Amino acid sequence: MATIKIKQIKSKIGAPIDQKRTLQSLGLRKISQVVECEDTPCNRGMIRKVHHLVTIVE
């Protein structure tokens, strides 16, 4: 299956608890951290939920 790289670009401080937990479930803890995950509809939905805090790295 294809994978995508996600980078956290903004802090989670001040974000609602559900968005903090979404970042945690994606494996992101720090700003500028990059994780690689599978490109599934579930992961795409989580990325869409925190789209203002992350970016997809090519």
Side-chain angles (χ1 to χ4, degrees):
M1 179 154 285
T3 61
I4 52 176
K5 290 184 179 180
I6 307 162
K7 181 177 183 179
Q8 183 175 348
I9 57 169
K10 283 189 152 184
S11 174
K12 62 185 174 184
I13 296 174
I17 190 69
D18 58 334
Q19 292 178 5
K20 290 180 184 180
R21 289 183 179 155
T22 302
L23 285 175
Q24 185 179 7
S25 65
L26 285 170
L28 294 167
R29 296 184 190 154
K30 301 177 182 178
I31 297 176
S32 298
Q33 182 181 7
V34 178
V35 295
E36 191 169 347
C37 65
E38 292 185 4
D39 189 9
T40 61
C42 180
N43 287 341
R44 285 285 181 170
M46 287 193 287
I47 293 168
R48 191 177 309 117
K49 186 170 187 172
V50 293
H51 70 278
H52 56 289
L53 301 175
V54 299
T55 187
I56 296 179
V57 180
E58 296 301 324

